[in-house]
Amino acid sequence: MYLQSTLFIIIIAVIIDVIFGELPAKIHPVVWMGKVIDFFREYLINYRSKISGIILTFMAVMIFTLATYVLLHLSAFNYILYILVSSIILSTTFAIKVLLTSAESMKNDIDHNIKKARKSMSYLVSRNTMELNEEDLVSATIETLTENITDSIIAPLFYAFIFGVLGAVVYRVINTLDAMVGYKTPEKIKIGWFPAKLDDVLNFMPARITGVLIVIAAAFLRLNWKNAYKIMSRDARKPDSPNSGFSMAAAAGALDIKLEKIDYYEIGDELSPLTTDKITEAVLLSKITVLLFILAASVLFGIFTALI
C-alpha cells in the first residue's frame, strides 16, 4: 500500500498547497519546529562545540519524525483518513503558493510603492534593503524566488518521492535548523556547523536537478535556454553556498539578466534591463520548472513501482 499511496499523497499535497497555501501559524509544523529548535538551542549553544549542533539536529529530527509517525499510524485504520492526514502533513513541508505569490506581491510593491517594497524585502533577505533602488529590488526578488525553488519546493518533494512523508519532514527539519543556526557568526558558528553541512549534502542533488529543469523550462517558454545553461555552468558556484547558485544562475541566463548581491556575487550578464516584467517572467519560469519536476518524478516513480 505504501508505494501505491505515495504518489497519490504527493499530488494531493501539491493541490492543497497551491489552492490553500500555508496552515495557520498556530498549528503549522514548521512554526513548531522553530519553537523546538529555539528551546534546545538556548541550552546547547552555551557549550560552544560542534557536538552541540549534532545533538540539536538529532533531537529535532527525532521529535518531529516520531510525531509524524504517530499521526500517520493513528490515521492508518482508515485509508481515506490516512491519505488526507499524510497529504496535509506533506503540504506543510513545501511552499509553492507562498513563494510565487510573494514574488508577485513584490512586483506590485516595486511598481507602486518603492518604500513599501524595501520594507517587504527586508523580511525576505538578510541584506540592508532601505537604500535599494528599483533594479536592486528586482534582482533581490528574483534571487530569492529562484534560490528558494530548490529548498522550498523541489528538495522536500524530491525526498517525498524517495522516502515518503517522513523523508520530506526530516528534510524540512534540517533545512529549518540551517535557516535558524547555520550562520558563520561567533555565536552560531559551532552549533550551526553540522546542520549547515547536512543541509548542503541534502540539497546537493535537488539544486542541480532544479538548475537543469530551469534550462528545460526556458526552452519550453522560448526563453534563452542556451544562455541559461551557459550561465549556470559559469556562475553557479559564485555564491558561498555550494547549492543556491544553480537555480539562480540558470534563471539569470534564461532571462538575460545580471543578478547581483553587492560585495558578494554577480551572476549572469546584463543583456536585458532589470525591469519588474522580469519578475513576471521569473514566476512563470518557476511554475514550469516545478511542473516539470512533478511530472518527471511522477513518471519515474510510476516506472519504478511497476518494476518491483
Side-chain angles (χ1 to χ4, degrees):
M1 184 182 78
Y2 174 78
L3 281 177
Q4 288 79 1
S5 301
T6 299
L7 182 57
F8 198 28
I9 290 166
I10 291 171
I11 298 303
I12 294 174
V14 169
I15 293 170
I16 290 172
D17 180 77
V18 169
I19 294 175
F20 300 106
E22 300 294 313
L23 290 177
K26 289 183 179 180
I27 60 171
H28 201 297
V30 177
V31 175
W32 283 97
M33 286 176 194
K35 291 180 179 180
V36 168
I37 291 166
D38 261 338
F39 176 80
F40 288 111
R41 180 181 61 179
E42 288 292 317
Y43 298 95
L44 292 169
I45 202 167
N46 296 319
Y47 288 97
R48 305 286 180 182
S49 167
K50 291 178 180 178
I51 299 296
S52 63
I54 296 173
I55 296 171
L56 177 62
T57 302
F58 176 79
M59 294 179 74
V61 168
M62 286 302 297
I63 287 169
F64 286 97
T65 301
L66 181 61
T68 303
Y69 177 82
V70 169
L71 284 172
L72 296 180
H73 182 72
L74 290 175
S75 65
F77 71 92
N78 181 280
Y79 182 70
I80 295 175
L81 180 63
Y82 173 77
I83 294 294
L84 182 61
V85 171
S86 300
S87 300
I88 291 172
I89 293 173
L90 180 58
S91 73
T92 66
T93 66
F94 53 88
I96 301 172
K97 184 174 183 178
V98 166
L99 184 62
L100 297 175
T101 55
S102 293
E104 290 166 346
S105 296
M106 278 302 307
K107 176 188 182 303
N108 185 65
D109 288 346
I110 296 168
D111 282 335
H112 298 100
N113 188 335
I114 196 164
K115 288 184 179 180
K116 183 181 178 183
R118 288 169 178 154
K119 184 68 174 177
S120 299
M121 182 56 67
S122 70
Y123 298 118
L124 301 176
V125 298
S126 58
R127 73 193 77 169
N128 181 5
T129 62
M130 292 303 105
E131 301 298 325
L132 297 183
N133 59 30
E134 180 176 320
E135 287 191 352
D136 295 331
L137 288 166
V138 171
S139 178
T141 300
I142 296 174
E143 289 168 56
T144 302
L145 169 63
T146 55
E147 177 182 358
N148 282 293
I149 295 173
T150 298
D151 56 8
S152 291
I153 303 174
I154 301 297
L157 288 173
F158 176 82
Y159 289 106
F161 273 106
I162 299 174
F163 300 112
V165 175
L166 287 175
V169 170
V170 170
Y171 171 80
R172 182 49 58 210
V173 173
I174 293 167
N175 188 250
T176 303
L177 277 161
D178 178 55
M180 294 183 68
V181 300
Y183 294 94
K184 294 179 180 179
T185 62
E187 182 188 35
K188 296 178 180 176
I189 193 166
K190 295 292 187 180
I191 196 170
W193 179 84
F194 183 74
K197 293 298 181 184
L198 189 54
D199 185 71
D200 287 344
V201 171
L202 292 181
N203 276 315
F204 185 87
M205 281 300 297
R208 286 147 183 82
I209 290 170
T210 304
V212 171
L213 288 175
I214 288 175
V215 174
I216 297 171
F220 271 100
L221 294 172
R222 299 182 182 276
L223 296 173
N224 195 344
W225 68 270
K226 291 181 180 179
N227 196 46
Y229 180 77
K230 170 190 168 185
I231 300 300
M232 182 177 68
S233 301
R234 190 190 76 189
D235 294 348
R237 291 172 178 81
K238 284 188 175 180
D240 290 337
S241 165
N243 299 313
S244 64
F246 283 85
S247 52
M248 285 196 290
L255 301 173
D256 288 330
I257 57 175
K258 181 174 74 174
L259 300 174
E260 180 179 7
K261 184 176 181 180
I262 298 170
D263 297 329
Y264 287 91
Y265 57 72
E266 292 183 5
I267 295 174
D269 298 321
E270 196 173 350
L271 305 177
S272 298
L274 270 172
T275 63
T276 54
D277 288 339
K278 291 297 180 181
I279 297 176
T280 301
E281 291 182 23
V283 168
L284 181 57
L285 183 64
S286 301
K287 288 178 179 178
I288 300 301
T289 299
V290 172
L291 180 60
L292 285 173
F293 175 78
I294 294 171
L295 290 174
S298 297
V299 170
L300 291 173
F301 185 85
I303 293 171
F304 173 77
T305 304
L307 290 176
I308 61 172

